[in-house]
Structure formats: structure tokens, C-alpha cells
Amino acid sequence: MSDDAFTARMQEHRRELHVHCYRMLGSFDEAEDLVQETFLRAWKARESFDEATNLRAWLYKIATNACLDVLRRKKRTPPRSESPAEVTWLQPYPDELLDAVAPSAERPDVVAIARETIGLAFLAAIQLLPARQRAVLVLRDVLEWSAAETADLLEMSVPAANSALQRARATLRERLPENHGSWQAPSPTEDEQALLERFVRAHTTGDPDEMVALVRHDIRVTMPPYPMEYNGLDELWPLFERATSGTDGEWRLLPTAANRMPAAASYLRVTGTDEYVPFKLDVLRIVDGKIAEITTFGPSHFADHGLPATL
């Protein structure tokens, strides 16, 4: 295989490898770095690549090991608390880019990305797992690899891989919301989009009572990269009141989607200025017709979501 053909075939797997590294690390930016590292390692080893070998599996092995190297180096496993706020490095993933990984006639081996395997609650939960348990879980339960394939990739025995999977699943059962298994939607549903529109309207018209009507009484809000957490309406009411009071300026919100969940991009025009500038991105987890969780990110990823720099 020529060098150009080898490079072209690697590039076919770029986006799905990015999603894989994102699941392993929880960070959109670090995932990009790891894909580049994967391609660099693959390029250096290209002479040893046997064309009879499955290129996709070979690249996944390189990518997984590159991620494990980073996790060992960073040693950033958070305290084993119940709070996803401990995962301060968590970043959102634009739905538009997830759509680029969808299975096709040419790539039937790609696994469809449902929110149960890319949702922020799932991502935060698996960051609590030891690195090799996390790798086994992603390979087995997300990518649907066999125990033998997983063990071969991670250079461990099949019994050891199965044991790691059992421990990882047990941890997730403790950490994930009870209804996690029902998050099968490939994108936000019509009802969720309607709720998002109400959320946008309440924010822009300054209606804190409508905001309260949209959320569950046990709502949780986290704000990566800050280890802050707000639980329940009593804690959130001051935030809702300030956000809708006009104290900070005038808001405009654009609906979008991240991690297969509805999201709203907020722009703020400070009094005395002419432009609305990016301020925050709220990603909503909706349960039984109400907002159960809001994960609020800063504006640094607006460009990744195809959002305008100003309004």
C-alpha cells in the first residue's frame, strides 16, 4: 500500500476514533490531540502493518493505548463521590459531528451513537472508572467487541477482561440515573425540542416562574470546569432569578444539540454595548417531560458547534 493510500484509509476513521478517544477521556480537545497521536504512531509503524489485518481494529488498538498512556500520566481520577461536578475536564460534543459517524452502506461496522453511550451523565460516570476498566467497558458495551477481541487489544486474558467488565458495569449501576437504559434516541425528540423552545423563551423574556415550571424539583446543575453543583429548586432559584432579571444585560439564545441532548447557546449583550457575545452553553437532560439536569459549559466550544462568534 502506498503512503498516500495508507493516509487516505486512516482518515476514513478519523471521526469515529475521535469519538472513541472522547469517551475515554471526556474531553473534546484532548480527543483531537489523541487522534493526531494515533495517526502519528500508526504512520511510524506503517511498514509493519499487514494489509490482511483489519485497519480499523489496528487503529483502535493504537488509539486505546494512546488514551491509556495519557490517563496513566495525568492520574486525574476524581474522588469517588456521587457528583459529576468532580469531572471538571468534561466537555460537550456537537451533534453535527456525531452525525458524521453514522453507519453507512460503506461502513456498516460503525456502531450507531445513541445518547446512552455519549450522554454527559454516561461520560461523567465512566470517568470514575480505572483506566483499563473504562477501556474494557467502551470496547465491549459500546463498540460491541467480543471478549476475545477486547482481551487481545488490551493484552490481557479473557477472564481478566470479563472481570474488569463486571466491575465496571457494577460501578455504572451505582452512578448512572435509573432510567439511563432508555436513552436510545439518536437525537432530541420533538417533545424535547418543544421543551427546549420554552427554555429559550423563558430565558429571553425574563420569566423565572416559567423556568421553574420546566424543571424537576430535584434538578441538578453542574458547570465544568468549575467543581460547582446546585441541587434542587431552593438552590437554583437565585440563579434563575438573576438569569432572567436583566441584571447582567440582555440575552439571546440559540437552540442547538450536544451529546444527543437538547442544548441552548446563550449570548449576552452587556448594557451599553452593541453585540451579543457568547456566554454559555446549557446542555439539558430531560426526564418525563421536565429538565432533570443542566450541564453548563463556557463559550470556548461555540465554534465547534457551528455557532456564530457574535449576534
Side-chain angles (χ1 to χ4, degrees):
M1 186 188 305
S2 69
D3 287 352
D4 287 345
F6 182 79
T7 299
R9 286 191 61 192
M10 282 200 305
Q11 290 295 336
E12 293 175 1
H13 302 278
R14 170 178 285 277
R15 182 52 55 192
E16 65 169 313
L17 288 171
H18 190 275
V19 173
H20 176 60
C21 294
Y22 172 72
R23 285 196 181 100
M24 287 289 296
L25 301 172
S27 166
F28 185 91
D29 293 336
E30 288 181 339
E32 183 59 37
D33 293 340
L34 265 295
V35 172
Q36 297 297 343
E37 174 66 18
T38 297
F39 284 173
L40 178 60
R41 293 185 186 189
W43 178 258
K44 289 179 178 179
R46 67 189 184 281
E47 297 299 332
S48 65
F49 174 69
D50 182 350
E51 290 192 40
T53 301
N54 183 316
L55 177 63
R56 179 175 182 257
W58 188 66
L59 290 173
Y60 265 97
K61 181 172 185 175
I62 296 172
T64 302
N65 284 317
C67 289
L68 291 174
D69 288 344
V70 167
L71 292 170
R72 280 190 290 265
R73 188 165 64 246
K74 288 183 176 291
K75 297 180 180 178
R76 66 180 182 192
T77 300
R80 290 188 171 277
S81 70
E82 295 293 332
S83 173
E86 299 285 357
V87 187
T88 56
W89 57 89
L90 188 65
Q91 294 178 336
Y93 205 107
D95 268 29
E96 183 176 285
L97 298 182
L98 293 175
D99 291 339
V101 194
S104 64
E106 296 77 22
R107 298 296 314 284
D109 53 345
V110 177
V111 177
I113 300 175
R115 79 180 68 180
E116 66 174 336
T117 66
I118 202 70
L120 293 173
F122 177 78
L123 266 292
I126 67 172
Q127 300 306 303
L128 301 175
L129 297 173
R132 286 172 73 81
Q133 282 188 33
R134 191 184 315 175
V136 169
L137 181 93
V138 171
L139 292 169
R140 290 292 312 278
D141 285 357
V142 176
L143 296 177
E144 300 178 353
W145 286 31
S146 70
E149 290 169 329
T150 300
D152 179 64
L153 185 150
L154 295 172
E155 297 180 353
M156 58 197 306
S157 69
V158 170
N162 287 335
S163 177
L165 179 62
Q166 290 173 1
R167 293 195 301 273
R169 286 172 174 171
T171 299
L172 288 197
R173 282 195 294 270
E174 296 174 0
R175 304 295 182 183
L176 286 172
E178 290 183 2
N179 67 336
H180 172 258
S182 65
W183 301 352
Q184 296 284 347
S187 60
T189 65
E190 290 185 7
D191 288 343
E192 289 172 336
Q193 292 286 16
L195 189 66
L196 175 63
E197 291 174 9
R198 290 178 62 192
F199 178 84
V200 168
R201 189 164 55 250
H203 208 309
T204 54
T205 60
D207 189 345
D209 292 326
E210 173 67 356
M211 291 283 283
V212 168
L214 298 176
V215 306
R216 289 167 54 104
H217 71 281
D218 57 351
I219 182 174
R220 176 167 63 191
V221 175
T222 54
M223 301 179 176
Y226 306 105
M228 303 164 63
E229 181 175 348
Y230 299 86
N231 287 287
L233 285 174
D234 288 344
E235 290 187 14
L236 280 173
W237 175 253
L239 294 183
F240 287 167
E241 202 169 30
R242 181 181 178 92
T244 56
S245 67
T247 300
D248 297 317
E250 186 177 348
W251 296 96
R252 287 184 63 186
L253 276 69
L254 297 181
T256 183
N259 297 76
R260 298 304 193 206
M261 305 162 77
S266 295
Y267 292 76
L268 177 65
R269 184 181 68 80
V270 177
T271 303
T273 62
D274 297 327
E275 290 184 325
Y276 293 84
V277 298
F279 188 82
K280 64 186 175 75
L281 178 71
D282 290 319
V283 184
L284 313 181
R285 182 169 69 86
I286 297 172
V287 177
D288 297 331
K290 289 203 171 187
I291 300 169
E293 189 167 359
I294 303 174
T295 308
T296 299
F297 298 96
S300 60
H301 287 277
F302 273 41
D304 296 327
H305 290 258
L307 294 162
T310 60
L311 298 179

